[in-house]
Amino acid sequence: MRAGGRFGGKIDLGFGRSDSPQLWALVASAAWRRLRGRVRLGPVYRWRFTGRTPERILIAPPDLRLADPQIAHEIYHCRFPFAGTLIDTQGTSPFEIDVANRAWLAALHGFGWLRHMHAAETDLAAANARALVADWMMVHGRRIGGIAWEGGVTARRIIAWLQHSGVVLQGADYSFYRVFLKSLALQVRYLRTVAPEMPDGENRLRARIALAFAALSLPTAQTARRTAARQLSAELDRQILPDGGHVSRNPEAVLELLADLLPLRYTYSNQAEAPPEALIGAVERMLPALRFFRHQDGTLARFNGMGATSHDRIAAILHHDDTAGAPLLHAPHSGYERLAMGGVTVIADAGPPPPAELSHQAQAGCLSFELSSGRSHFVVNCGVDTYGAEDFRPLSRSTAAHSTATLNDTSSARFALSHGFGSLIGTPLIDGPRQVACRRLDSDGIQAFVARHDGYLARFGLYHERELALSAAGDVLEGTDRIFRKGGEVARTNGRDNVTVRFHLHPDVALFENRRHGLVLAGADGERWEFSCEELAPEVEDSLFFAGIGGPRRSRQIVFSYRASEHPEIHWRFLRM
């Protein structure tokens, strides 16, 4: 399948072949995991998870996510603004209406919106929160199944119910109090059963976080607390990399997991319990990693599933960062590089894709980069429209949606978009770069690196290598792109050496040509950069910036198209004027 339009020409989006061995391995693994899960779970009857009802909630963990009392007002009037979609239930319980939007349903059943009710600090908001929790227990609490009981959703709900138990139970009678605790305990036992067979990734780690919260917040035997801590530690050690990144390589995963791990650390302290060493170590690694991915305006770099971010959300997490010093420049385990001089920040993807089972949001953006100066973004990746139309997802994941080079209008990785197995394996990235070599070249105040990937080797016999260097004052970013065969030999003239290099511009950047026929990028604050290339004359084409707060926005891109056999190496430069 091919798509044309704003990224120029017709782009092979890299849809996975049904005969890919990697694809079939994923299908077999997912099917086996699902079978094990069914065997472990057995007949899904609610009575299987009944047991002793806790007498009380010992402590309500803090919630570091931002809250908006205005949303509590909207919810009171039966308007539910979740996952980028506003649904008016017209007075009907939201748990009884038929909604096709899975993201909206996951947010509804995850109950993270209770923080807005808590922030309202009114008896009316508390009563509404209690009524909605009662509705859920009546409609979904008696029957296990559907999206409401998916492992990741259940984990979020347990955390939210514990964190905001104060507002839910405010003014509640004894009968509701007991029913609430009984349902909460049942969900904890259910999650404890399904957690071992959950798909790998962020939700599986969040399940262990939720069970650790429950072990601390509810009356629990010391052995159960130790077990929860041990299982959480094992998952943290496996998923949080030595440089603080997440195994999915998605910067947003670092942000979201910190929003749960920091409150968990505080809860251990408030209960006079020593936090697991793995928890302390993970948080201390992840906070610098979050700063690594952060541009100076507070947003996170758009790689591997990262969409729009709120400055305030990130600031709320980093407020708890007591680590000192500037962000790291080299994240070898996560596969990213950072150049930062003179108020200029360059963040680049210099690593292979994550494991296939963790790559459902991963993008084919190897060797792409973003350039910002102060609070203005100039060169960006297109990012993703987190809650937008699914039709845009394949395009936003393609190499053409990133500020890097494509060969023969083809993505450097493929995506499994099989209609037959979508519900089983999702849309993982397959057949991407296997070897990505990277080394720093810092010297005499200049920050630089060179990286190479083999994502096109199997299909075209070619490597892509990119070198980036930022001057000591941050005024010059020089880049070199090389396309070559094994051993450094020049590409053959065989019609399979067509190269397109793209630099996507932020929608707020104005672009014009100066008297020297150079392209000038003007930021919203008046700062200007001039772009030039020694060998080729650039073209300007339309683009789409998917990661806008309000959804996709029109933008532009600087483009070179040439043959690698004629230009094995091109040099380009961004000069701050």
Side-chain angles (χ1 to χ4, degrees):
M1 180 174 177
R2 302 167 77 86
R6 299 189 184 278
F7 291 141
K10 294 194 173 186
I11 305 300
D12 184 345
L13 300 182
F15 289 8
R17 304 183 305 274
S18 61
D19 60 346
S20 168
Q22 191 175 11
L23 179 60
W24 283 109
L26 283 173
V27 170
S29 176
W32 177 238
R33 184 182 61 249
R34 180 174 292 188
L35 177 62
R36 288 200 316 264
R38 288 177 177 173
V39 171
R40 176 186 293 273
L41 194 59
V44 186
Y45 297 124
R46 184 175 182 274
W47 57 263
R48 292 187 62 245
F49 305 103
T50 57
R52 182 179 178 183
T53 300
E55 296 179 359
R56 64 190 185 281
I57 293 177
L58 301 175
I59 187 171
D63 188 350
L64 302 185
R65 290 181 170 88
L66 296 177
D68 184 356
Q70 180 59 35
I71 296 181
H73 177 78
E74 293 292 326
I75 291 175
Y76 177 77
H77 289 90
C78 300
R79 296 187 291 267
F80 295 83
F82 305 150
T85 300
L86 175 66
I87 292 183
D88 190 336
T89 65
Q90 302 290 330
T92 303
S93 168
F95 303 109
E96 295 180 338
I97 63 175
D98 186 17
V99 177
N101 188 323
R102 281 187 57 83
W104 187 91
L105 288 171
L108 173 70
H109 292 289
F111 277 83
W113 43 268
L114 282 175
R115 65 182 181 272
H116 306 303
M117 325 288 271
H118 206 157
E121 297 182 337
T122 65
D123 292 339
L124 184 62
N128 194 27
R130 186 167 61 254
L132 288 168
V133 169
D135 281 352
W136 186 91
M137 291 189 295
M138 178 66 68
V139 177
H140 294 280
R142 298 180 176 182
R143 181 178 58 84
I144 295 175
I147 191 171
W149 287 88
E150 290 181 358
V153 175
T154 302
R156 289 183 183 275
R157 183 169 58 250
I158 290 172
I159 294 172
W161 280 23
L162 289 171
Q163 288 178 327
H164 303 289
S165 55
V167 70
V168 173
L169 299 175
Q170 180 180 328
D173 56 25
Y174 180 75
S175 175
F176 178 86
Y177 190 90
R178 296 295 294 171
V179 171
F180 176 79
L181 289 176
K182 184 176 182 179
S183 177
L184 187 57
L186 183 147
Q187 293 174 58
V188 169
R189 285 188 284 268
Y190 168 80
L191 185 62
R192 191 180 295 130
T193 301
V194 302
E197 302 304 334
M198 287 177 63
D200 199 3
E202 186 180 340
N203 280 333
R204 184 164 164 177
L205 175 52
R206 184 167 288 106
R208 293 304 179 189
I209 295 171
L211 293 172
F213 269 124
L216 292 168
S217 300
L218 301 173
T220 309
Q222 190 63 32
T223 54
R225 291 190 181 192
R226 286 197 295 265
T227 298
R230 184 179 67 254
Q231 292 171 338
L232 170 65
S233 296
E235 204 63 38
L236 285 170
D237 288 341
R238 197 175 61 80
Q239 291 202 32
I240 306 303
L241 301 172
D243 56 22
H246 185 252
V247 287
S248 68
R249 302 191 68 232
N250 185 348
E252 188 171 22
V254 178
L255 174 65
E256 290 297 322
L257 288 170
L258 275 172
D260 290 325
L261 291 171
L262 283 168
L264 180 59
R265 187 180 67 175
Y266 293 140
T267 305
Y268 270 103
S269 299
N270 292 337
Q271 287 290 72
E273 291 257 359
E277 288 296 327
L279 172 59
I280 296 173
V283 169
E284 290 181 349
R285 298 195 308 274
M286 293 171 74
L287 285 168
L290 184 61
R291 288 190 285 120
F292 175 96
F293 290 115
R294 185 176 181 241
H295 288 283
Q296 291 189 59
D297 70 338
T299 59
L300 297 184
R302 289 153 284 262
F303 296 103
N304 289 305
M306 188 69 227
T309 51
S310 164
H311 308 64
D312 294 340
R313 283 186 62 207
I314 301 171
I317 297 299
L318 290 179
H319 176 73
H320 301 269
D321 182 9
D322 53 6
T323 59
L328 300 173
L329 296 177
H330 183 47
H333 302 280
S334 298
Y336 291 98
E337 296 292 331
R338 180 183 176 100
L339 312 177
M341 303 286 282
V344 174
T345 301
V346 175
I347 306 174
D349 182 341
E357 61 271 19
L358 293 164
S359 66
H360 303 284
Q361 298 185 67
Q363 298 167 323
C366 193
L367 304 195
S368 65
F369 74 97
E370 295 197 330
L371 165 67
S372 66
S373 179
R375 301 187 65 82
S376 294
H377 290 245
F378 289 90
V379 178
V380 296
N381 294 317
C382 296
V384 299
D385 184 9
T386 305
Y387 301 117
E390 289 294 325
D391 294 345
F392 279 144
R393 290 301 177 90
L395 185 58
S396 68
R397 298 177 71 186
S398 70
T399 305
H402 295 77
S403 293
T404 187
T406 60
L407 267 65
N408 302 306
D409 290 334
T410 303
S411 281
S412 60
R414 298 180 181 274
F415 309 100
L417 301 178
S418 169
H419 295 292
F421 300 112
S423 61
L424 186 63
I425 64 172
T427 56
L429 182 153
I430 58 175
D431 299 333
R434 296 186 179 183
Q435 298 291 329
V436 182
C438 180
R439 59 189 173 94
R440 295 288 296 198
L441 303 173
D442 299 350
S443 64
D444 299 328
I446 295 175
Q447 294 182 1
F449 72 89
V450 60
R452 178 183 69 216
H453 79 79
D454 63 353
Y456 292 110
L457 184 63
R459 282 170 284 176
F460 309 121
L462 296 171
Y463 292 92
H464 174 212
E465 182 175 273
R466 168 166 281 180
E467 184 174 338
L468 294 179
L470 184 64
S471 66
D475 293 331
V476 181
L477 175 66
E478 292 186 311
T480 302
D481 281 301
R482 306 179 182 96
I483 305 295
F484 53 87
R485 291 190 293 150
K486 191 172 182 179
E489 297 180 13
V490 176
R492 295 190 179 95
T493 307
N494 56 8
R496 294 163 63 83
D497 63 336
N498 298 302
V499 183
T500 303
V501 179
R502 293 179 171 85
F503 304 94
H504 293 277
L505 307 182
H506 192 275
D508 293 338
V509 169
L511 183 66
F512 59 89
E513 187 175 326
N514 62 17
R515 294 179 180 178
R516 300 189 302 275
H517 303 291
L519 292 177
V520 177
L521 288 63
D525 59 358
E527 183 173 313
R528 296 184 177 188
W529 289 72
E530 182 179 19
F531 177 81
S532 60
C533 178
E534 296 179 8
E535 296 85 4
L536 301 166
E539 298 179 355
V540 177
E541 298 180 0
D542 287 338
S543 181
L544 275 175
F545 182 69
F546 296 108
I549 293 290
R553 297 173 61 188
R554 293 183 61 182
S555 60
R556 285 182 286 184
Q557 59 180 317
I558 299 171
V559 180
F560 296 109
S561 295
Y562 61 95
R563 289 186 179 277
S565 56
E566 298 173 359
H567 298 281
E569 179 174 303
I570 65 166
H571 304 82
W572 44 267
R573 170 185 293 185
F574 286 92
L575 173 67
R576 183 159 59 176
M577 301 172 65

